Amino acid sequence: MKKPSCCLETLADDGLTTIHYCRTCAVFHLRIGYTTLHVKPDGLIGLGNAINTSLAKLRRRGEAIARSQAGRELENPLG
C-alpha cells in the first residue's frame, strides 16, 4: 500500500529555519539548517514554551549583566 505524500503548508521561513505543517500526517516539519524534525502539535507547543522560557531567562540575565557593568563603570570611570 502506497503511503500518501505530505501536503506541506509553509508557516514560517527565514532562510535558515522553516516550519511547515503537513495536513496529511498532522505533523509539523521544522527545518533548522540541515536538520529536520517532525513534531506533533503538542510537541511544538512544548518546544515553543521551552524556547520562550529560555529567551526570557537570557533577557533577564542580560539586563542584570548590563546593570552590573554600568555600576562598575560608575565606580571606576577610567576602566
Side-chain angles (χ1 to χ4, degrees):
M1 181 173 196
K2 186 178 178 183
K3 183 179 175 182
S5 62
C6 287
C7 178
L8 299 178
E9 174 186 355
T10 302
L11 301 176
D13 185 352
D14 69 3
L16 176 63
T17 304
T18 305
I19 301 175
H20 297 285
Y21 179 70
C22 175
R23 295 177 191 171
T24 306
C25 56
V27 169
F28 291 92
H29 298 240
L30 282 68
R31 185 180 50 93
I32 304 168
Y34 294 108
T35 302
T36 301
L37 301 172
H38 301 268
V39 183
K40 292 182 179 181
D42 288 345
L44 184 67
I45 291 168
L47 177 61
N49 289 337
I51 290 170
N52 285 333
T53 299
S54 299
L55 290 172
K57 286 181 180 180
L58 284 174
R59 277 190 209 108
R60 286 193 300 271
R61 184 181 301 166
E63 290 168 4
I65 291 170
R67 284 192 302 269
S68 173
Q69 289 173 344
R72 277 189 244 125
E73 290 172 3
L74 289 175
E75 291 173 4
N76 188 3
L78 298 178

Coordinates of all heavy atoms in Angstrom, one line a residue:
M1 N 0.8 -1.2 0.0 CA 0.0 0.0 0.0 C 0.9 1.2 0.0 O 1.8 1.3 0.8 CB -0.9 0.0 1.2 CG -1.8 1.1 1.3 SD -3.0 0.8 2.7 CE -4.2 2.0 2.3
K2 N 0.6 2.1 -0.9 CA 1.4 3.4 -1.0 C 1.0 4.4 0.1 O -0.2 4.6 0.3 CB 1.2 4.0 -2.4 CG 2.1 5.1 -2.7 CD 1.8 5.7 -4.1 CE 2.7 6.9 -4.3 NZ 2.5 7.4 -5.6
K3 N 2.1 4.9 0.7 CA 1.8 5.9 1.7 C 1.5 7.3 1.1 O 2.2 7.7 0.1 CB 3.1 6.1 2.6 CG 3.0 7.0 3.7 CD 4.3 7.1 4.5 CE 4.2 8.1 5.6 NZ 5.5 8.2 6.3
P4 N 0.5 8.0 1.6 CA 0.2 9.3 0.9 C 1.3 10.3 1.1 O 2.0 10.3 2.2 CB -1.1 9.8 1.7 CG -1.1 9.0 2.9 CD -0.4 7.7 2.7
S5 N 1.6 11.1 0.1 CA 2.6 12.1 0.2 C 2.2 13.3 1.1 O 1.0 13.6 1.2 CB 3.1 12.6 -1.1 OG 2.0 13.2 -1.8
C6 N 3.2 14.0 1.7 CA 2.9 15.1 2.6 C 2.3 16.3 1.7 O 2.7 16.5 0.6 CB 4.1 15.5 3.3 SG 4.6 14.4 4.6
C7 N 1.4 17.0 2.4 CA 0.9 18.2 1.8 C 1.3 19.3 2.7 O 0.7 19.6 3.7 CB -0.7 18.1 1.7 SG -1.4 19.6 1.1
L8 N 2.4 20.0 2.4 CA 3.0 20.9 3.3 C 2.5 22.4 3.1 O 2.5 22.8 1.9 CB 4.6 20.9 3.1 CG 5.3 19.6 3.5 CD1 6.8 19.7 3.2 CD2 5.0 19.2 4.9
E9 N 2.2 23.0 4.2 CA 1.9 24.4 4.2 C 3.0 25.1 4.9 O 3.3 24.8 6.1 CB 0.6 24.6 4.9 CG 0.2 26.1 5.1 CD -1.1 26.3 6.0 OE1 -1.7 25.3 6.3 OE2 -1.4 27.4 6.3
T10 N 3.6 26.1 4.3 CA 4.7 26.9 4.9 C 4.1 27.9 5.9 O 3.3 28.7 5.5 CB 5.6 27.6 3.9 OG1 6.1 26.7 3.0 CG2 6.7 28.4 4.5
L11 N 4.5 27.8 7.2 CA 4.1 28.7 8.2 C 5.1 29.8 8.5 O 4.7 30.9 8.9 CB 3.8 27.9 9.5 CG 2.7 26.8 9.4 CD1 2.6 26.1 10.7 CD2 1.4 27.4 8.9
A12 N 6.4 29.4 8.4 CA 7.5 30.4 8.6 C 8.7 30.0 7.8 O 9.0 28.8 7.7 CB 7.8 30.5 10.1
D13 N 9.4 31.0 7.3 CA 10.7 30.7 6.6 C 11.5 31.9 6.6 O 11.2 33.0 6.1 CB 10.4 30.3 5.2 CG 11.6 29.9 4.4 OD1 12.7 30.0 4.9 OD2 11.4 29.4 3.3
D14 N 12.7 31.9 7.4 CA 13.6 33.0 7.4 C 14.9 32.7 6.7 O 15.9 33.4 6.9 CB 13.8 33.4 8.9 CG 14.6 32.4 9.7 OD1 15.1 31.4 9.1 OD2 14.8 32.7 10.9
G15 N 14.9 31.6 5.9 CA 16.1 31.3 5.2 C 16.9 30.2 5.9 O 17.5 29.4 5.3
L16 N 17.0 30.3 7.2 CA 17.7 29.3 8.0 C 16.8 28.3 8.6 O 17.0 27.1 8.7 CB 18.6 29.9 9.1 CG 19.3 29.0 10.0 CD1 20.3 28.2 9.3 CD2 20.0 29.8 11.1
T17 N 15.6 28.8 9.1 CA 14.6 28.0 9.8 C 13.3 28.0 9.0 O 12.9 29.1 8.7 CB 14.4 28.5 11.2 OG1 15.7 28.5 11.9 CG2 13.4 27.6 12.0
T18 N 12.8 26.8 8.8 CA 11.5 26.8 8.1 C 10.6 25.9 8.9 O 11.0 24.8 9.4 CB 11.6 26.2 6.7 OG1 12.6 26.9 5.9 CG2 10.3 26.2 5.9
I19 N 9.3 26.3 9.0 CA 8.3 25.5 9.7 C 7.2 25.2 8.7 O 6.6 26.2 8.2 CB 7.8 26.1 10.9 CG1 8.9 26.4 11.9 CG2 6.7 25.3 11.6 CD1 8.5 27.2 13.2
H20 N 6.9 24.0 8.4 CA 5.8 23.5 7.6 C 4.8 22.7 8.4 O 5.2 22.1 9.4 CB 6.3 22.6 6.4 CG 7.3 23.2 5.5 ND1 6.9 24.1 4.5 CD2 8.6 23.0 5.3 CE1 8.0 24.4 3.8 NE2 9.0 23.8 4.3
Y21 N 3.6 22.8 8.0 CA 2.6 21.9 8.6 C 2.1 21.0 7.5 O 1.7 21.4 6.4 CB 1.4 22.7 9.2 CG 0.4 21.8 9.8 CD1 0.7 21.1 11.0 CD2 -0.8 21.6 9.2 CE1 -0.3 20.2 11.6 CE2 -1.8 20.7 9.8 CZ -1.5 20.0 11.0 OH -2.4 19.2 11.5
C22 N 2.0 19.7 7.8 CA 1.6 18.7 6.9 C 0.1 18.3 7.3 O -0.1 17.7 8.4 CB 2.5 17.4 6.9 SG 1.8 16.1 5.9
R23 N -0.8 18.5 6.4 CA -2.2 18.2 6.7 C -2.4 16.7 6.5 O -3.3 16.1 7.2 CB -3.1 18.9 5.7 CG -3.1 20.4 5.8 CD -3.9 21.1 4.8 NE -3.7 22.5 4.8 CZ -4.1 23.3 3.9 NH1 -4.9 22.9 2.9 NH2 -3.9 24.6 4.0
T24 N -1.6 16.0 5.8 CA -1.7 14.6 5.6 C -1.4 13.8 6.8 O -2.1 12.9 7.2 CB -0.8 14.1 4.4 OG1 -1.1 14.9 3.2 CG2 -1.1 12.6 4.1
C25 N -0.3 14.1 7.4 CA 0.2 13.4 8.6 C 0.0 14.1 9.9 O 0.3 13.6 11.0 CB 1.6 12.9 8.5 SG 2.8 14.2 8.2
A26 N -0.6 15.4 9.9 CA -0.9 16.2 11.0 C 0.4 16.4 11.9 O 0.3 16.3 13.1 CB -2.0 15.6 11.8
V27 N 1.5 16.7 11.2 CA 2.8 16.9 11.9 C 3.4 18.1 11.4 O 3.3 18.5 10.2 CB 3.7 15.6 11.7 CG1 5.1 15.9 12.1 CG2 3.1 14.4 12.4
F28 N 4.2 18.8 12.3 CA 5.0 20.0 11.8 C 6.3 19.5 11.4 O 6.9 18.6 12.0 CB 5.1 21.0 13.0 CG 3.8 21.7 13.4 CD1 3.0 21.1 14.3 CD2 3.5 22.8 12.7 CE1 1.8 21.8 14.7 CE2 2.3 23.5 13.0 CZ 1.4 22.9 14.0
H29 N 6.8 20.1 10.3 CA 8.2 19.8 9.9 C 9.0 21.0 10.1 O 8.8 22.0 9.5 CB 8.2 19.5 8.4 CG 7.3 18.3 8.0 ND1 7.9 17.2 7.4 CD2 6.0 18.0 8.2 CE1 6.9 16.3 7.2 NE2 5.8 16.8 7.6
L30 N 9.9 20.9 11.1 CA 10.8 22.0 11.4 C 12.2 21.8 10.8 O 12.9 20.8 11.1 CB 11.0 22.1 13.0 CG 9.9 22.8 13.7 CD1 8.7 21.9 13.7 CD2 10.4 23.0 15.2
R31 N 12.6 22.6 9.9 CA 13.9 22.5 9.3 C 14.8 23.6 9.8 O 14.5 24.8 9.7 CB 13.8 22.6 7.8 CG 15.2 22.4 7.1 CD 15.1 22.5 5.6 NE 14.4 23.7 5.2 CZ 15.0 24.9 4.9 NH1 16.3 25.0 4.9 NH2 14.3 25.9 4.5
I32 N 15.9 23.2 10.5 CA 16.9 24.2 11.0 C 18.2 23.8 10.4 O 18.8 22.7 10.7 CB 16.9 24.1 12.5 CG1 15.5 24.3 13.1 CG2 17.9 25.1 13.1 CD1 15.4 24.0 14.6
G33 N 18.7 24.6 9.5 CA 19.9 24.3 8.7 C 19.7 23.0 8.0 O 18.8 22.9 7.2
Y34 N 20.5 22.0 8.3 CA 20.4 20.7 7.6 C 19.7 19.7 8.3 O 19.6 18.5 7.9 CB 21.9 20.2 7.3 CG 22.6 21.0 6.3 CD1 23.7 21.8 6.8 CD2 22.3 21.0 5.0 CE1 24.4 22.6 5.9 CE2 23.0 21.8 4.1 CZ 24.1 22.6 4.6 OH 24.8 23.4 3.7
T35 N 19.0 20.0 9.4 CA 18.3 19.1 10.3 C 16.8 19.4 10.2 O 16.3 20.5 10.2 CB 18.7 19.3 11.7 OG1 20.1 19.1 11.8 CG2 18.0 18.3 12.7
T36 N 16.0 18.3 10.0 CA 14.6 18.4 10.0 C 14.0 17.6 11.1 O 14.4 16.4 11.3 CB 14.0 17.9 8.7 OG1 14.5 18.7 7.6 CG2 12.5 18.0 8.7
L37 N 13.1 18.2 11.9 CA 12.4 17.5 13.0 C 10.9 17.4 12.6 O 10.4 18.3 12.0 CB 12.5 18.3 14.3 CG 13.9 18.6 14.9 CD1 13.7 19.5 16.0 CD2 14.5 17.3 15.3
H38 N 10.4 16.2 12.9 CA 8.9 16.0 12.6 C 8.3 16.0 14.0 O 8.5 15.1 14.8 CB 8.7 14.7 11.8 CG 9.4 14.7 10.5 ND1 8.8 15.2 9.4 CD2 10.7 14.4 10.2 CE1 9.7 15.1 8.4 NE2 10.8 14.6 8.9
V39 N 7.4 17.0 14.3 CA 6.9 17.2 15.6 C 5.4 17.2 15.6 O 4.8 18.0 14.8 CB 7.5 18.5 16.2 CG1 7.0 18.7 17.6 CG2 9.0 18.5 16.1
K40 N 4.8 16.5 16.5 CA 3.3 16.6 16.6 C 2.9 17.9 17.3 O 3.8 18.5 17.9 CB 2.8 15.4 17.5 CG 3.0 14.1 16.8 CD 2.5 12.9 17.6 CE 2.6 11.6 16.9 NZ 2.1 10.5 17.6
P41 N 1.7 18.3 17.1 CA 1.3 19.7 17.7 C 1.6 19.9 19.1 O 2.1 20.9 19.5 CB -0.2 19.7 17.4 CG -0.4 18.9 16.2 CD 0.6 17.7 16.3
D42 N 1.4 18.9 20.0 CA 1.7 19.0 21.4 C 3.2 19.2 21.6 O 3.7 20.0 22.5 CB 1.3 17.8 22.2 CG -0.2 17.7 22.4 OD1 -0.9 18.8 22.2 OD2 -0.7 16.7 22.8
G43 N 4.0 18.6 20.8 CA 5.5 18.7 20.9 C 5.9 20.1 20.5 O 6.8 20.7 21.1
L44 N 5.3 20.7 19.5 CA 5.6 22.0 19.0 C 5.2 23.1 20.1 O 6.0 24.0 20.3 CB 4.9 22.4 17.7 CG 5.2 23.7 17.1 CD1 6.7 23.7 16.6 CD2 4.3 24.0 15.9
I45 N 4.1 22.8 20.7 CA 3.7 23.8 21.8 C 4.7 23.7 22.9 O 5.2 24.7 23.5 CB 2.3 23.4 22.3 CG1 1.3 23.8 21.3 CG2 2.0 24.1 23.6 CD1 -0.1 23.2 21.5
G46 N 5.2 22.5 23.3 CA 6.2 22.3 24.4 C 7.5 23.0 24.0 O 8.1 23.6 24.8
L47 N 7.9 22.8 22.7 CA 9.1 23.4 22.2 C 9.1 24.9 22.3 O 10.0 25.6 22.7 CB 9.4 22.9 20.8 CG 10.7 23.5 20.1 CD1 11.9 23.1 20.9 CD2 10.7 23.0 18.7
G48 N 7.9 25.4 21.8 CA 7.7 26.9 21.8 C 7.8 27.4 23.3 O 8.4 28.5 23.5
N49 N 7.2 26.8 24.2 CA 7.2 27.2 25.6 C 8.6 27.2 26.2 O 9.0 28.1 26.9 CB 6.3 26.3 26.5 CG 4.8 26.6 26.2 OD1 4.4 27.6 25.7 ND2 4.0 25.6 26.5
A50 N 9.4 26.1 25.8 CA 10.7 26.0 26.3 C 11.6 27.1 25.7 O 12.4 27.7 26.4 CB 11.3 24.6 26.0
I51 N 11.4 27.4 24.5 CA 12.2 28.5 23.8 C 11.9 29.8 24.5 O 12.7 30.6 24.8 CB 12.0 28.5 22.3 CG1 12.7 27.2 21.7 CG2 12.5 29.8 21.7 CD1 12.4 27.0 20.2
N52 N 10.6 30.1 24.6 CA 10.2 31.3 25.3 C 10.7 31.5 26.7 O 11.2 32.6 27.1 CB 8.6 31.5 25.3 CG 8.1 31.8 23.9 OD1 8.8 32.4 23.1 ND2 6.9 31.4 23.7
T53 N 10.7 30.4 27.5 CA 11.2 30.5 28.8 C 12.7 30.7 28.8 O 13.2 31.6 29.6 CB 11.0 29.1 29.5 OG1 9.5 28.9 29.6 CG2 11.6 29.1 30.9
S54 N 13.4 30.1 27.9 CA 14.9 30.3 27.8 C 15.2 31.7 27.4 O 16.1 32.3 27.9 CB 15.5 29.3 26.7 OG 15.3 28.0 27.1
L55 N 14.5 32.3 26.4 CA 14.7 33.6 26.0 C 14.4 34.6 27.1 O 15.2 35.6 27.2 CB 13.9 34.0 24.7 CG 14.3 33.2 23.5 CD1 13.3 33.5 22.4 CD2 15.7 33.7 23.0
A56 N 13.4 34.4 27.9 CA 13.1 35.3 29.0 C 14.2 35.3 30.0 O 14.6 36.3 30.5 CB 11.7 34.9 29.6
K57 N 14.7 34.1 30.3 CA 15.8 34.0 31.3 C 17.1 34.7 30.7 O 17.8 35.4 31.5 CB 16.1 32.5 31.6 CG 15.1 31.9 32.5 CD 15.4 30.4 32.8 CE 14.4 29.8 33.7 NZ 14.7 28.4 34.0
L58 N 17.3 34.5 29.5 CA 18.5 35.2 28.9 C 18.3 36.7 28.9 O 19.3 37.5 29.2 CB 18.7 34.7 27.5 CG 19.4 33.4 27.3 CD1 19.4 32.9 25.8 CD2 20.8 33.3 27.9
R59 N 17.1 37.2 28.6 CA 16.9 38.7 28.7 C 17.1 39.2 30.1 O 17.8 40.2 30.3 CB 15.5 39.0 28.2 CG 15.3 39.1 26.8 CD 13.9 39.6 26.4 NE 13.5 39.1 25.1 CZ 12.6 38.1 24.9 NH1 11.9 37.7 25.9 NH2 12.4 37.7 23.7
R60 N 16.6 38.5 31.1 CA 16.8 38.9 32.5 C 18.3 38.9 32.8 O 18.8 39.8 33.5 CB 16.0 38.0 33.5 CG 14.5 38.3 33.4 CD 13.8 37.7 34.6 NE 13.9 36.2 34.6 CZ 13.1 35.4 34.0 NH1 12.1 35.8 33.3 NH2 13.3 34.1 34.1
R61 N 19.0 37.9 32.4 CA 20.4 37.8 32.7 C 21.1 38.9 32.0 O 22.0 39.5 32.6 CB 20.9 36.4 32.2 CG 22.4 36.2 32.6 CD 22.9 34.9 32.0 NE 22.2 33.8 32.6 CZ 22.3 32.6 32.1 NH1 23.0 32.3 31.1 NH2 21.6 31.6 32.7
G62 N 20.7 39.2 30.8 CA 21.4 40.3 30.0 C 21.1 41.6 30.7 O 22.0 42.5 30.8
E63 N 19.9 41.8 31.2 CA 19.6 43.1 31.9 C 20.5 43.2 33.2 O 21.0 44.2 33.5 CB 18.1 43.2 32.2 CG 17.3 43.4 31.0 CD 15.8 43.2 31.3 OE1 15.4 42.9 32.4 OE2 15.1 43.2 30.3
A64 N 20.6 42.1 33.9 CA 21.4 42.1 35.1 C 22.9 42.3 34.8 O 23.6 43.1 35.5 CB 21.3 40.7 35.9
I65 N 23.4 41.8 33.7 CA 24.8 42.0 33.3 C 25.0 43.4 32.9 O 26.0 44.1 33.3 CB 25.2 41.0 32.2 CG1 25.2 39.6 32.7 CG2 26.5 41.4 31.5 CD1 25.3 38.6 31.6
A66 N 24.0 44.0 32.2 CA 24.1 45.4 31.8 C 24.2 46.3 33.0 O 25.0 47.3 33.1 CB 23.0 45.8 30.8
R67 N 23.3 46.1 34.0 CA 23.3 46.9 35.2 C 24.6 46.7 36.0 O 25.1 47.7 36.5 CB 22.1 46.5 36.1 CG 20.8 47.0 35.6 CD 19.7 46.9 36.7 NE 19.5 45.5 37.1 CZ 18.6 44.6 36.6 NH1 17.9 45.0 35.6 NH2 18.5 43.4 37.0
S68 N 25.1 45.5 36.0 CA 26.3 45.3 36.7 C 27.5 46.0 36.1 O 28.3 46.6 36.7 CB 26.6 43.8 36.8 OG 27.9 43.5 37.3
Q69 N 27.6 46.0 34.8 CA 28.6 46.7 34.0 C 28.5 48.2 34.2 O 29.5 48.9 34.3 CB 28.6 46.3 32.5 CG 29.0 44.8 32.3 CD 28.8 44.4 30.9 OE1 28.1 45.0 30.1 NE2 29.5 43.3 30.5
A70 N 27.3 48.7 34.1 CA 27.1 50.1 34.3 C 27.5 50.6 35.7 O 28.1 51.6 35.9 CB 25.6 50.5 34.1
G71 N 27.2 49.7 36.7 CA 27.7 50.0 38.1 C 29.2 50.1 38.2 O 29.7 51.0 38.9
R72 N 29.9 49.2 37.6 CA 31.3 49.1 37.6 C 31.9 50.4 36.9 O 32.9 50.9 37.3 CB 31.9 47.9 36.9 CG 31.9 46.7 37.9 CD 32.6 45.5 37.3 NE 31.6 44.5 37.2 CZ 31.3 43.8 36.1 NH1 32.0 44.1 35.0 NH2 30.4 42.9 36.1
E73 N 31.3 50.8 35.8 CA 31.7 52.0 35.1 C 31.6 53.2 36.0 O 32.4 54.1 35.9 CB 31.0 52.2 33.8 CG 31.4 51.1 32.8 CD 30.5 51.1 31.5 OE1 29.6 52.0 31.4 OE2 30.7 50.2 30.7
L74 N 30.5 53.3 36.8 CA 30.3 54.4 37.7 C 31.4 54.4 38.8 O 31.9 55.5 39.2 CB 28.9 54.4 38.3 CG 27.8 54.8 37.3 CD1 26.5 54.6 38.0 CD2 27.9 56.2 36.8
E75 N 31.7 53.3 39.3 CA 32.7 53.2 40.3 C 34.1 53.5 39.8 O 34.9 54.1 40.5 CB 32.7 51.7 40.9 CG 31.5 51.4 41.7 CD 31.4 49.9 42.1 OE1 32.4 49.2 41.8 OE2 30.4 49.5 42.6
N76 N 34.4 53.1 38.6 CA 35.7 53.3 38.0 C 35.6 53.8 36.6 O 35.8 53.0 35.7 CB 36.5 52.0 38.1 CG 38.0 52.2 37.7 OD1 38.4 53.3 37.5 ND2 38.7 51.1 37.7
P77 N 35.3 55.1 36.4 CA 35.0 55.6 35.1 C 36.2 55.5 34.1 O 36.0 55.5 32.9 CB 34.6 57.1 35.3 CG 35.1 57.4 36.7 CD 35.2 56.1 37.4
L78 N 37.4 55.4 34.6 CA 38.5 55.3 33.7 C 38.9 53.8 33.3 O 39.8 53.6 32.5 CB 39.8 55.9 34.3 CG 39.6 57.4 34.6 CD1 40.9 57.9 35.3 CD2 39.3 58.2 33.3
G79 N 38.1 52.9 33.8 CA 38.3 51.5 33.5 C 39.3 50.9 34.4 O 40.0 50.0 34.4

